Amino acid sequence: MAAQPLQAGRRRRFEPIDHDTLRRELSLNRQHMAHADSTIRSALRLRNDSVARAMADGVPVAAIAEAAGVKKLEIRRRIAAGYTELQPAGWPAQAHLRAVRGHAQDLAAAVGQKTGLEARRRSLTVMALKTGQLDLFEVASLAAVPPERIRKEMRGITLRSVLVEERA
């Protein structure tokens, strides 16, 4: 929805989305969130696989941690611990680091996409509840989020504090 132009001496009025569009947007957002979760899991698995391959080929942990964007301790204790029987592939260190860096960037992009989708869901939720178009349990059902979490997210949020943009 496009923001309405401000008029002198008047507050901006918030024009709500109609009931059916709001329901459709919430359910579509739920589907996009499920896809984003799946993408994050895949990207995380690929990053961890490439980190483990690099560890098996003897690439220094500090270089791997820098390429992956995580702490050295996390590389040693969490990621590499799950791949103890991996055989060395014989790749050069730069090839491993390039792969780790690429998978880490893919993971960061997937997390960024999910963050945007969460903000969109929050905006739709605020619009639905503050305008009275949907009740808490209907919003929770459409968004696949527990009602308690929606209540917690809604604390201190006003209708004017969110901007619901139309999807292109």
Side-chain angles (χ1 to χ4, degrees), residues 34-53:
H35 182 268
D37 285 338
S38 175
T39 303
I40 288 172
R41 283 191 300 273
S42 297
L44 188 60
R45 184 188 53 79
L46 288 172
R47 187 205 63 187
N48 291 351
D49 287 347
S50 61
V51 164
R53 276 192 231 104

Side-chain angles (χ1 to χ4, degrees), residues 52-168:
R53 276 192 231 104
M55 288 284 294
D57 272 350
V59 179
V61 175
I64 296 172
E66 182 182 333
V70 296
K71 296 178 182 175
K72 292 187 288 187
L73 189 62
E74 189 173 332
I75 296 285
R76 285 192 182 113
R77 287 194 179 162
R78 292 191 180 150
I79 298 173
Y83 298 87
T84 55
E85 298 185 15
L86 193 62
Q87 298 298 315
W91 290 5
Q94 291 305 317
H96 280 297
L97 294 176
R98 220 178 2 261
V100 169
R101 201 171 291 116
H103 294 308
Q105 289 170 352
D106 293 344
L107 178 60
V111 169
Q113 179 187 10
K114 184 177 178 184
T115 303
L117 288 170
E118 287 173 342
R120 172 77 177 159
R121 187 201 69 227
R122 218 171 293 116
S123 298
L124 290 168
T125 300
V126 168
M127 178 175 280
L129 294 175
K130 296 291 183 176
T131 59
Q133 292 179 343
L134 301 173
D135 68 348
L136 177 68
F137 297 104
E138 192 173 10
V139 170
S141 172
L142 289 169
V145 177
E148 294 80 29
R149 183 169 172 194
I150 291 176
R151 281 188 191 114
K152 184 186 287 186
E153 288 178 351
M154 292 289 294
R155 289 186 191 134
I157 295 179
T158 61
L159 191 57
R160 230 187 283 152
S161 67
V162 296
L163 174 67
V164 179
E165 299 174 0
E166 282 195 35
R167 299 176 63 111

